[in-house]
Amino acid sequence: KQEVTQIPAALSVPEGENLVLNCSFTDSAIYNLQWFRQDPGKGLTSLLLIQSSQREQTSGRLNASLDKSSGRSTLYIAASQPGDSATYLCAVDQAGTALIFGKGTTLSVSS
Amino acid sequence: GAVVSQHPSRVICKSGTSVKIECRSLDFQATTMFWYRQFPKQSLMLMATSNEGSKATYEQGVEKDKFLINHASLTLSTLTVTSAHPEDSSFYICSARDRLLGGANGYTFGSGTRLTVV
């Protein structure tokens, strides 16, 4: 059974820092991996989608990498801002079944 | 981009009553919709998979008679929490995949429904 783990569970950094969020999954047979952002009490906003054949995707200050063979993905946030404060969720898609989520990393960026 | 509209965003109901939550795909057709539940500080847990025109598939431990799912068209799926109890209070969220694009474009999520049963 696929399990997704995110480390750390929580992270507090001062504004301007670069940071890395980690995601690992136990079954490497994934279709794709998606990173989401969730603000308190809100739904999910898709940040980056990495297909299984890709190694990374970039959007603005965000860069996500995927190493399928080792079951790992990282989300890199450059020059963090207070507006980046949210919970970041990693989810894997196994051949069209529902996404399987990690518990998330709650990020707090102080000004 | 793909949008899933979910209503209501918040609902408070009395114990024993039923609540219906709707999810609509606005600009794409969704053969399949997924329903998740999220308790505070927990991850999203899949409750059921809803397929247009057929019965939903429920995850282990989810009572199908309590959480009724209807997916009558390619753009609408509903979740009805029947005889709600305080322990059903949670954040419910749906997601859908574009029928034509499949998984290549990822999943789109609704904005969620905060259910509080008093």
Side-chain angles (χ1 to χ4, degrees):
Chain A
K1 181 183 176 184
Q2 179 74 270
E3 292 184 3
V4 180
T5 303
Q6 290 187 247
I7 295 172
L11 184 62
S12 292
V13 299
E15 182 177 7
E17 274 204 10
N18 302 324
L19 52 99
V20 175
L21 308 182
N22 298 291
C23 172
S24 62
F25 45 95
T26 54
D27 186 346
S28 62
I30 65 170
Y31 187 58
N32 59 44
L33 183 146
Q34 209 165 348
W35 282 92
F36 295 89
R37 168 185 173 138
Q38 185 176 31
D39 292 288
K42 303 292 186 181
L44 275 64
T45 301
S46 179
L47 298 174
L48 289 165
L49 169 70
I50 311 177
Q51 303 288 351
S52 62
S53 59
Q54 298 174 323
R55 293 195 64 84
E56 67 177 329
Q57 283 286 336
T58 299
S59 176
R61 293 183 293 108
L62 305 180
N63 175 277
S65 67
L66 173 64
D67 184 341
K68 206 173 83 159
S69 61
S70 67
R72 297 184 182 193
S73 176
T74 60
L75 178 65
Y76 176 81
I77 302 177
S80 58
Q81 303 170 357
D84 295 331
S85 299
T87 296
Y88 291 81
L89 295 165
C90 165
V92 298
D93 178 0
Q94 289 190 276
T97 60
L99 291 178
I100 300 172
F101 285 84
K103 289 188 176 180
T105 294
T106 299
L107 173 65
S108 175
V109 182
S110 56
S111 55
Chain B
V3 176
V4 173
S5 175
Q6 183 171 346
H7 294 281
S9 57
R10 287 180 178 273
V11 59
I12 300 173
C13 70
K14 291 185 177 180
S15 187
T17 62
S18 295
V19 173
K20 179 184 283 188
I21 302 169
E22 284 191 358
C23 272
R24 292 180 184 272
S25 55
L26 297 187
D27 48 5
F28 66 100
Q29 292 182 331
T31 308
T32 304
M33 281 199 184
F34 304 93
W35 288 94
Y36 293 83
R37 179 168 53 185
Q38 186 181 34
F39 291 107
K41 299 192 184 298
Q42 297 295 314
S43 188
L44 279 74
M45 298 301 294
L46 180 67
M47 297 175 65
T49 302
S50 161
N51 297 296
E52 185 265 337
S54 64
K55 291 183 179 181
T57 303
Y58 291 82
E59 295 300 300
Q60 191 173 8
V62 178
E63 301 174 58
K64 63 180 181 180
D65 294 330
K66 180 170 186 61
F67 299 99
L68 302 180
I69 291 174
N70 183 281
H71 193 157
S73 76
L74 285 172
T75 59
L76 174 65
S77 178
T78 62
L79 167 68
T80 301
V81 182
T82 63
S83 186
H85 291 286
E87 58 265 30
D88 297 324
S89 298
S90 186
F91 187 68
Y92 294 86
I93 190 166
C94 64
S95 79
R97 198 171 60 228
D98 189 304
R99 181 176 71 94
L100 297 179
L101 296 177
N105 216 35
Y107 295 76
T108 301
F109 282 78
S111 55
T113 298
R114 171 71 60 191
L115 171 64
T116 302
V117 184
V118 298

